Amino acid sequence: MDHLSKLAQYFREFPGIGPRQAQRFVYFLLTRNTAYLDELSRLITEIKRSIRVCTDCFRFYPSTESSEKCSLCRNPHRDTHILMIVSRDVDLEAIEKSKVYSGYYFVLGGTVPILEKEPEKRIRLTELMKRITRGQFTEIILSLNANAEGEHTTEIVREYLGKIPQHTYTISVLGRGLSTGTELEYSDSDTIKSALKNRERV
Amino acid sequence: MDHLSKLAQYFREFPGIGPRQAQRFVYFLLTRNTAYLDELSRLITEIKRSIRVCTDCFRFYPSTESSEKCSLCRNPHRDTHILMIVSRDVDLEAIEKSKVYSGYYFVLGGTVPILEKEPEKRIRLTELMKRITRGQFTEIILSLNANAEGEHTTEIVREYLGKIPQHTYTISVLGRGLSTGTELEYSDSDTIKSALKNRERV
Amino acid sequence: MDHLSKLAQYFREFPGIGPRQAQRFVYFLLTRNTAYLDELSRLITEIKRSIRVCTDCFRFYPSTESSEKCSLCRNPHRDTHILMIVSRDVDLEAIEKSKVYSGYYFVLGGTVPILEKEPEKRIRLTELMKRITRGQFTEIILSLNANAEGEHTTEIVREYLGKIPQHTYTISVLGRGLSTGTELEYSDSDTIKSALKNRERV
Amino acid sequence: MDHLSKLAQYFREFPGIGPRQAQRFVYFLLTRNTAYLDELSRLITEIKRSIRVCTDCFRFYPSTESSEKCSLCRNPHRDTHILMIVSRDVDLEAIEKSKVYSGYYFVLGGTVPILEKEPEKRIRLTELMKRITRGQFTEIILSLNANAEGEHTTEIVREYLGKIPQHTYTISVLGRGLSTGTELEYSDSDTIKSALKNRERV
């Protein structure tokens, strides 16, 4: 296979990219100058060297920071008694942006598909166990997506956490209800049920 | 204007119908037999005679029922102490379908646009006052859409309810949080904030 | 079934309308005044009385015109030697709007699905035969959609026309090529082939 | 700016990629192994070395071929009397795939925006002149997109070709008409006009 087809094939593995757009990426790169191509190439090849994985929460952070832990895990002002478990870095970022959570995080590294027999191959269960043993958490919050795979993963982690002997933490999940923009007319019964249960005196 | 164009113009007023689809409706009707057309015509012209508006909750119900109240308001097994305020009949139906609410309803008949100076022209505030005075409610639940206009309407009704002298009911709103299908990555800070506040021990 | 559900069911038969939009149509009508409903109802019930089918081309035209033929077929300035065969009234209208055709029309009343064994039940083949026998056409143009069902119908009509004994007309089909907006990158080989064959000296 | 943000910014320049997808690309790369990253990086940085631009038609071709001309321009079995002018490599590929054209090509390298004062900065007009002078063409086919910018470019190249002194070639453009899938109901008058003009005896 020639060079351009091979490059197109690499782009096809990118999330959400079909054969046509992969081809367009290749032609786009052909029109760039050498400086652009060299820098893009360098950024890609050095991506792993440029980031580290935090030994506490497993999120990615710049390797220019000389610590073994990310800035969040090093921060002494955060609440050391709460741990929030998320699926991926993007979820952690969404929660940080909301500025309402001040505890620690743990990144599972994915979710568990419904039929997966070995969940520990998909998410960091062993590492989670170690992290919890090392900490002194009074609450662990499971913050996963409100879809089928997210709920399945929540269930697996919840069971796993329940089995840790002599644990003193409570386990909680994010509240269900109306999210911003939700219209009742198009809501399913589960959402309405939760919204009613979580109704709030005003 | 000829007959077909006139009919197309009527269809263009239907919600979500543009000129092309209005035209297609007309051609569709031309292919129907007389029995279909006559029955459709009758159903439309008699729609108002066939339904009544409940004097208690203001929802529509079949006029074949001989009472002045709809079946929900007549039902003695519902909880007489709770009133849920909704915007339209479709919202009431979505909530009934979830089978988690057993109190009474009140249909406002719409929402209040942000810049509206006279909200009582858009929603049934006077009728709401009368309904509340007549009942013995301990809780009033505001169940409006979680969008800008829904929240504006919630605010207006809440203020109005607060001014009713010597009221003994509490006022609540539907809980916010993750609705079914919500992904954290694409959630706004308000939703995440509510989801965290309404987190639930499992 | 009650009145509103019955009306919603009628609307569900409209082209492109699902259960949810049918329901919204019903609620929309509930908010209209009696004058609107009565007029809409009248327009629907009288649609067949208000239009006639032209005995020559089978298109619909207002019955207020006292002739048995539509205005196009009565027009003595049109070219009496050419007949264009279209599937539906909307196609005829699109062609009239382009102002490039001045012959007569014949409306088939539909297309023939690929597996249909009896095409004469779907399109007006017998009436077409009569129309052609009555005229003095030197050319018959088949103007059907450039999709699978349109091409299948073209083929059936072409065969049928070929069998009419001692006919003196030629048969033609609309030219294939690039239609307005077409991009070569996304064109199939058939389109490119036709565009190349029909290329034009400039 | 840190490494990941910088890489995301590079991806945002890719055609059709917004900030969110650029971010997802970065996280996707973080999950790849070093072999994948190194190979992708190499393919990008060497893309220019791996391809050449044909000195005859200006299309890209693998530099592993030791000739100065691409395989199409070297092919002695193609028709040396016809030249087809296209905008980009992707258009050339679409035409080759249709297997109906056997002459030579010339890639303009783009199109000319409507308000561009200096078209020669956008497309290879000088190079086109040289190519034509060097050849012995009896026909030049302009194969550009059937949209506003394509037609504007066609007009500019046509004028330019007309000015070449003592030329013996004819100039043609791709035929307009119904492209595959076109429905008459949704066609504009230009398309119908061309389809009628290019109608074909069957």
Side-chain angles (χ1 to χ4, degrees):
Chain A
M1 190 172 20
D2 65 45
H3 195 99
L4 301 192
S5 311
K6 212 165 162 185
L7 182 52
Q9 228 178 26
Y10 267 75
F11 284 135
R12 283 197 58 179
E13 293 193 37
F14 278 43
I17 299 306
R20 188 158 273 164
Q21 206 169 1
Q23 193 62 42
R24 295 183 69 187
F25 284 0
V26 171
Y27 282 117
F28 163 77
L29 290 180
L30 281 170
T31 68
R32 296 299 93 176
N33 61 35
T34 309
Y36 178 98
L37 295 174
D38 286 350
E39 179 62 3
L40 173 61
S41 178
R42 188 190 69 79
L43 288 167
I44 290 172
T45 204
E46 292 181 5
I47 189 169
K48 294 229 166 170
R49 248 164 295 161
S50 81
I51 57 106
R52 314 171 66 149
V53 173
C54 176
T55 53
D56 261 20
C57 72
F58 289 88
R59 70 188 277 247
F60 297 117
Y61 70 104
S63 58
T64 48
E65 300 175 20
S66 55
S67 167
E68 279 209 331
K69 298 184 183 181
C70 77
S71 57
L72 287 174
C73 288
R74 290 197 311 264
N75 186 341
H77 302 300
R78 296 194 73 106
D79 186 336
T80 54
H81 298 295
I82 314 184
L83 183 72
M84 180 181 281
I85 297 175
V86 296
S87 171
R88 296 176 189 285
D89 284 63
V90 284
D91 302 320
L92 186 156
E93 277 168 28
I95 287 156
E96 275 301 289
K97 218 165 60 185
S98 74
K99 292 184 179 135
V100 286
Y101 176 69
S102 62
Y104 289 118
Y105 291 97
F106 185 86
V107 179
L108 287 175
T111 47
V112 182
I114 308 291
L115 295 170
E116 174 65 74
K117 291 269 186 283
E118 302 172 285
E120 65 280 359
K121 288 199 172 167
R122 300 291 191 135
I123 56 176
R124 302 186 180 104
L125 285 177
T126 323
E127 293 87 342
L128 175 60
M129 166 79 96
K130 285 186 196 149
R131 177 70 189 94
I132 287 170
T133 313
R134 215 163 57 234
Q136 289 175 315
F137 301 113
T138 56
E139 180 179 3
I140 295 181
I141 306 172
L142 285 161
S143 295
L144 289 114
N145 290 337
N147 53 25
E149 200 160 314
E151 291 183 351
H152 181 60
T153 307
T154 293
E155 192 46 36
I156 284 167
V157 179
R158 201 191 58 75
E159 270 187 34
Y160 188 86
L161 292 177
K163 282 183 206 149
I164 298 183
Q166 295 170 305
H167 67 264
T168 52
Y169 47 80
T170 61
I171 307 171
S172 59
V173 297
L174 286 188
R176 298 287 306 273
L178 304 185
S179 57
T180 301
T182 297
E183 298 182 32
L184 286 164
E185 182 182 354
Y186 305 116
S187 297
D188 66 314
S189 294
D190 273 357
T191 299
I192 290 176
K193 202 167 163 173
S194 307
L196 195 64
K197 208 187 70 183
N198 289 332
R199 71 182 181 273
E200 210 165 305
R201 211 170 147 165
V202 286
Chain B
M1 190 171 24
D2 66 44
H3 195 98
L4 300 191
S5 311
K6 213 165 160 185
L7 182 52
Q9 228 178 26
Y10 266 76
F11 284 135
R12 283 198 57 180
E13 292 193 39
F14 278 42
I17 299 306
R20 188 156 273 163
Q21 207 169 2
Q23 192 63 42
R24 294 184 70 187
F25 284 0
V26 171
Y27 282 117
F28 163 76
L29 291 180
L30 281 170
T31 65
R32 296 296 96 175
N33 62 34
T34 309
Y36 178 98
L37 296 174
D38 285 350
E39 179 62 2
L40 173 61
S41 178
R42 188 190 70 78
L43 287 167
I44 290 172
T45 203
E46 291 181 6
I47 189 170
K48 295 229 166 170
R49 248 165 294 161
S50 81
I51 58 104
R52 314 170 66 151
V53 172
C54 175
T55 54
D56 261 19
C57 72
F58 289 88
R59 70 188 278 248
F60 297 117
Y61 69 104
S63 58
T64 47
E65 301 175 19
S66 55
S67 167
E68 280 208 332
K69 298 183 184 181
C70 77
S71 56
L72 288 174
C73 289
R74 290 197 311 265
N75 185 341
H77 301 300
R78 295 193 75 106
D79 185 334
T80 54
H81 297 294
I82 314 183
L83 184 72
M84 180 181 280
I85 297 175
V86 296
S87 172
R88 297 176 189 285
D89 284 63
V90 284
D91 303 321
L92 185 156
E93 276 167 30
I95 288 156
E96 276 301 291
K97 218 165 59 184
S98 75
K99 292 187 179 133
V100 285
Y101 176 69
S102 61
Y104 288 118
Y105 290 97
F106 184 86
V107 179
L108 287 175
T111 47
V112 183
I114 308 292
L115 295 170
E116 175 64 75
K117 291 271 187 283
E118 303 173 284
E120 65 280 357
K121 288 198 172 168
R122 299 292 191 133
I123 55 176
R124 302 188 179 103
L125 285 177
T126 324
E127 293 88 342
L128 175 60
M129 165 79 95
K130 284 187 197 150
R131 176 71 187 93
I132 288 170
T133 314
R134 217 163 52 233
Q136 289 174 314
F137 301 112
T138 55
E139 181 178 3
I140 295 182
I141 306 171
L142 285 162
S143 296
L144 289 115
N145 290 338
N147 54 24
E149 200 160 313
E151 290 184 350
H152 181 59
T153 308
T154 293
E155 193 45 36
I156 284 168
V157 178
R158 201 191 59 75
E159 271 188 32
Y160 188 86
L161 291 177
K163 282 183 202 147
I164 298 184
Q166 296 169 305
H167 67 263
T168 51
Y169 47 80
T170 60
I171 306 172
S172 59
V173 298
L174 286 187
R176 299 288 306 274
L178 305 186
S179 57
T180 301
T182 297
E183 298 182 31
L184 286 164
E185 181 181 355
Y186 305 116
S187 296
D188 67 314
S189 295
D190 273 358
T191 299
I192 290 176
K193 202 168 163 174
S194 307
L196 195 63
K197 210 187 69 184
N198 290 331
R199 71 182 182 273
E200 208 164 306
R201 210 171 149 166
V202 286
Chain C
M1 191 172 20
D2 66 45
H3 195 98
L4 301 191
S5 311
K6 212 165 161 185
L7 182 53
Q9 228 178 25
Y10 267 76
F11 284 135
R12 282 197 59 179
E13 294 193 36
F14 278 43
I17 299 305
R20 188 158 272 166
Q21 206 169 1
Q23 193 62 42
R24 294 184 70 187
F25 284 0
V26 171
Y27 281 117
F28 164 77
L29 290 180
L30 281 170
T31 66
R32 297 297 96 176
N33 62 35
T34 310
Y36 177 98
L37 296 174
D38 286 350
E39 180 62 3
L40 173 60
S41 178
R42 188 190 69 79
L43 287 167
I44 289 172
T45 203
E46 292 181 4
I47 190 168
K48 294 230 166 168
R49 249 165 293 161
S50 81
I51 58 104
R52 313 170 66 149
V53 172
C54 176
T55 53
D56 261 20
C57 72
F58 289 88
R59 71 188 277 248
F60 297 117
Y61 69 106
S63 58
T64 47
E65 300 175 21
S66 55
S67 167
E68 279 208 332
K69 297 182 184 181
C70 77
S71 57
L72 286 174
C73 289
R74 289 198 311 264
N75 185 342
H77 302 300
R78 296 194 74 106
D79 185 335
T80 55
H81 297 296
I82 315 184
L83 183 72
M84 180 181 279
I85 297 175
V86 295
S87 171
R88 298 176 189 285
D89 284 64
V90 284
D91 303 321
L92 185 156
E93 276 167 31
I95 288 156
E96 275 303 288
K97 217 165 60 186
S98 75
K99 293 188 178 130
V100 285
Y101 176 70
S102 61
Y104 288 118
Y105 290 97
F106 184 86
V107 180
L108 287 175
T111 46
V112 182
I114 308 292
L115 295 170
E116 174 65 75
K117 291 271 187 282
E118 303 173 283
E120 64 281 358
K121 288 198 172 169
R122 299 291 192 134
I123 56 175
R124 302 188 179 101
L125 285 177
T126 324
E127 293 88 342
L128 175 59
M129 165 77 96
K130 285 186 195 149
R131 177 70 189 95
I132 287 170
T133 314
R134 216 162 54 234
Q136 289 174 315
F137 301 112
T138 56
E139 181 178 2
I140 294 182
I141 305 171
L142 285 162
S143 296
L144 289 115
N145 290 338
N147 53 25
E149 200 161 313
E151 290 183 353
H152 181 58
T153 308
T154 293
E155 193 45 38
I156 284 167
V157 179
R158 201 190 59 75
E159 271 187 33
Y160 188 87
L161 290 178
K163 282 184 205 147
I164 297 184
Q166 296 170 306
H167 67 263
T168 52
Y169 47 81
T170 60
I171 306 172
S172 59
V173 298
L174 285 187
R176 299 289 305 273
L178 305 186
S179 58
T180 301
T182 298
E183 299 182 30
L184 286 163
E185 182 182 354
Y186 305 116
S187 296
D188 66 314
S189 294
D190 274 356
T191 299
I192 288 176
K193 201 168 165 174
S194 307
L196 195 64
K197 208 188 71 185
N198 290 332
R199 69 182 182 272
E200 209 164 306
R201 211 171 148 165
V202 286
Chain D
M1 190 171 22
D2 66 46
H3 194 98
L4 302 191
S5 311
K6 211 166 163 184
L7 182 52
Q9 226 177 28
Y10 266 76
F11 284 134
R12 283 198 58 179
E13 293 192 38
F14 277 44
I17 299 307
R20 188 157 273 164
Q21 206 169 2
Q23 192 63 43
R24 294 183 70 187
F25 285 1
V26 172
Y27 281 118
F28 163 76
L29 291 180
L30 280 171
T31 66
R32 296 297 95 176
N33 62 35
T34 309
Y36 178 98
L37 295 174
D38 285 351
E39 178 63 1
L40 173 60
S41 178
R42 187 190 70 80
L43 288 167
I44 289 172
T45 205
E46 292 182 3
I47 189 169
K48 294 228 168 172
R49 249 164 294 162
S50 81
I51 58 105
R52 314 171 65 151
V53 172
C54 175
T55 53
D56 261 20
C57 72
F58 289 88
R59 70 188 277 247
F60 297 117
Y61 70 105
S63 58
T64 47
E65 300 175 20
S66 56
S67 167
E68 280 209 331
K69 298 184 184 180
C70 77
S71 56
L72 287 174
C73 288
R74 290 198 310 266
N75 186 343
H77 301 300
R78 295 195 73 106
D79 185 335
T80 54
H81 298 295
I82 314 184
L83 183 72
M84 180 181 281
I85 297 175
V86 296
S87 171
R88 297 176 188 285
D89 284 63
V90 284
D91 302 321
L92 186 156
E93 276 167 30
I95 288 156
E96 275 301 289
K97 217 166 60 185
S98 75
K99 294 188 178 132
V100 286
Y101 176 70
S102 61
Y104 289 118
Y105 291 96
F106 185 86
V107 180
L108 287 175
T111 47
V112 183
I114 308 292
L115 295 170
E116 174 65 75
K117 291 271 185 282
E118 303 174 284
E120 64 281 359
K121 289 199 172 165
R122 300 291 191 133
I123 56 175
R124 302 188 180 100
L125 285 177
T126 322
E127 293 87 342
L128 175 60
M129 165 77 96
K130 285 186 194 147
R131 176 71 188 93
I132 288 170
T133 313
R134 216 162 55 233
Q136 288 174 317
F137 301 112
T138 55
E139 180 178 3
I140 295 181
I141 305 172
L142 285 161
S143 295
L144 289 115
N145 290 337
N147 54 24
E149 201 160 312
E151 290 184 352
H152 181 59
T153 308
T154 294
E155 191 46 36
I156 283 168
V157 178
R158 200 190 60 74
E159 271 187 33
Y160 188 87
L161 291 177
K163 282 183 204 147
I164 297 184
Q166 295 171 305
H167 67 262
T168 52
Y169 48 80
T170 59
I171 306 171
S172 59
V173 296
L174 286 188
R176 300 287 306 273
L178 305 185
S179 57
T180 301
T182 297
E183 299 182 30
L184 286 164
E185 182 182 353
Y186 305 116
S187 296
D188 67 314
S189 294
D190 274 357
T191 298
I192 290 176
K193 202 168 163 173
S194 307
L196 195 63
K197 209 188 70 184
N198 289 332
R199 71 182 181 273
E200 209 165 305
R201 210 170 148 167
V202 286

